Amino acid sequence: MPEPALPAYAIEARGLDKTYRGTKKAPPAHALKAIDLAIPRGAFFGLLGPNGAGKSTFINILGGLVVKSGGQAAIWGHDIDADPMNARGAIGIVPQELNMDPFFTPIESLELQAGFYGVPKAERRTEEILRAVGLWDKKDAYARTLSGGMKRRLLVAKAMVHAPPVLVLDEPTAGVDVELRRQLWDYVKRLHGEGVTIVLTTHYLEEAQELCDTIAIINHGRVIACEPTEKLVGRLDQKTLVVLPQTELTAPPPGFTDVTAGLRQNGALAITYRTSEHSVEELLDRVRRAGVSIRDLSIEEADLEDVFVALTSG
Ligand code: ADP
């Protein structure tokens, strides 16, 4: 049989909706409001949003842990309702919580998981995967004796046993130290290089900006932005001029009401302005005319953090 054509989208959601039923203690929650989201095959995709935005709900619907209330979703071209087996087989999800059986060793965990997915013994890549995540020397240690970072990497390994073309990482580096984060990203980048589509949720916007080629921002159950990272960051035509004065200021000089001016802890005057409305030259001129002599200056670009705040506040 010829191989079926590769899908354009690794994940495609149309009008995806979810309302959690209320309980005695909590009212119903409309967690996803007719979400349309198409994640291109081969993307390194960031799914960002404040707490309670609906990210986990979205991921859990894909993973079959939460039942949607409406709309459609497909993974690797397989509809999650019509073809749940193939849909599930196309995705690996690294969960947020470090929930694992403390009495299994990494090698046992992976073998069990492979069995669960029906991966034939001859096709298992247990050693290769454990080596890739740096856990081969811990292969016979009980999970309860592993460090937090090691457990996290074991979860990534478990998500990869059935060689899914789509890997979803839900807050994978929360509480993981810098060195282990780098190791984890090295492995994820390698998988991406081999063609695996990566979907990442993270609170570290810097990390998302650095790693992801495309970013979607969810807020209150709606997708409020979805575009290439560069374009998203460029959306805010905003820069900050930072001037260190010769003599200390007690307040920003008057006359800067059309921009955002403030004093920083180190005494620097920070003026945030729209590049379409002001030039550095003009602003420096005004600073000098306000009687401030300049000891040093720098210009800061807007980053994902600024865009995120601008889009999700209010
Ligand atoms: P995020 O992952 O972006 O923090 P969630 O998907 O966890 O957001 O939550 C979205 C909304 O759905 C929130 O208002 C949350 O309180 C609600 N919610 C999430 N899970 C449940 C659940 N099991 N039962 C009821 N409400 C839920």
Side-chain angles (χ1 to χ4, degrees):
M1 260 200 344
E3 282 280 309
L6 290 171
Y9 297 113
I11 292 170
E12 201 176 3
R14 296 280 163 228
L16 197 63
D17 215 275
K18 174 65 189 180
T19 299
Y20 290 102
R21 252 181 296 165
T23 59
K24 270 186 210 147
K25 283 186 195 144
H30 198 178
L32 294 182
K33 295 167 185 153
I35 283 215
D36 290 328
L37 198 60
I39 301 180
R41 171 168 49 87
F44 204 128
F45 194 92
L47 187 63
L48 311 181
N51 265 333
K55 304 177 298 290
S56 301
T57 300
F58 179 72
I59 288 168
N60 288 335
I61 290 173
L62 298 176
L65 297 173
V66 166
V67 180
K68 64 186 166 60
S69 315
Q72 287 146 10
I75 303 165
W76 213 244
H78 308 290
D79 188 279
I80 60 168
D81 289 333
D83 193 359
M85 284 288 282
N86 281 320
R88 208 100 346 120
I91 196 168
I93 297 183
V94 184
Q96 225 171 73
E97 297 97 60
L98 294 173
N99 56 339
M100 49 183 59
D101 196 311
F103 298 107
F104 285 128
T105 66
I107 208 160
E108 288 165 349
S109 285
L110 260 61
E111 285 295 318
L112 263 173
Q113 186 82 352
F116 177 71
Y117 274 100
V119 182
K121 279 244 182 322
E123 288 172 26
R124 293 188 187 172
R125 304 171 305 144
T126 305
E127 179 173 347
E128 179 196 321
I129 296 173
L130 283 179
R131 283 191 188 282
V133 297
L135 284 178
W136 184 243
D137 59 338
K138 293 279 175 189
K139 65 185 191 313
D140 297 319
Y142 286 131
R144 68 180 150 82
T145 68
L146 302 179
S147 71
M150 290 173 182
K151 285 179 184 154
R152 186 75 59 182
R153 284 180 284 151
L154 181 55
L155 288 177
V156 178
K158 276 176 77 179
M160 288 307 298
V161 292
H162 58 301
V166 186
L167 180 66
V168 178
L169 300 126
D170 197 1
E171 288 285 344
T173 52
V176 177
D177 71 43
V178 177
E179 180 52 30
L180 291 173
R181 252 152 89 170
R182 194 168 315 130
Q183 269 184 37
L184 186 65
W185 290 133
D186 282 347
Y187 179 53
V188 173
K189 280 188 204 164
R190 205 176 93 200
L191 291 172
H192 181 243
E194 289 165 5
V196 177
T197 303
I198 310 290
V199 181
L200 164 73
T201 77
T202 179
H203 273 95
Y204 300 102
L205 297 186
E206 234 181 274
E207 213 160 69
Q209 185 170 349
E210 187 190 317
L211 291 163
C212 301
D213 51 51
T214 311
I215 287 175
I217 297 179
I218 309 196
N219 199 22
H220 300 303
R222 289 201 170 87
V223 178
I224 54 170
C226 181
E227 46 202 86
T229 309
E230 244 173 73
K231 204 172 152 210
L232 189 66
V233 174
R235 242 202 216 208
L236 224 54
D237 68 332
Q238 175 183 297
K239 288 188 181 177
T240 301
L241 171 64
V242 184
V243 170
L244 201 60
Q246 288 286 7
T247 40
E248 202 177 321
L249 300 173
T250 48
F256 286 90
T257 48
D258 54 341
V259 290
T260 311
L263 287 185
R264 291 193 175 162
Q265 290 233 313
N266 65 350
L269 170 65
I271 303 171
T272 300
Y273 62 100
R274 290 192 165 279
T275 52
S276 55
E277 291 168 11
H278 301 276
S279 69
V280 185
E281 199 129 8
E282 170 222 320
L283 291 169
L284 280 178
D285 213 37
R286 285 164 64 182
V287 170
R288 284 198 208 92
R289 271 191 280 128
V292 178
S293 53
I294 300 167
R295 182 143 66 100
D296 199 4
L297 65 87
S298 62
I299 292 169
E300 296 170 357
E301 309 263 340
D303 60 13
L304 187 59
E305 186 101 37
D306 300 315
V307 180
F308 186 82
V309 169
L311 288 175
T312 56
S313 61

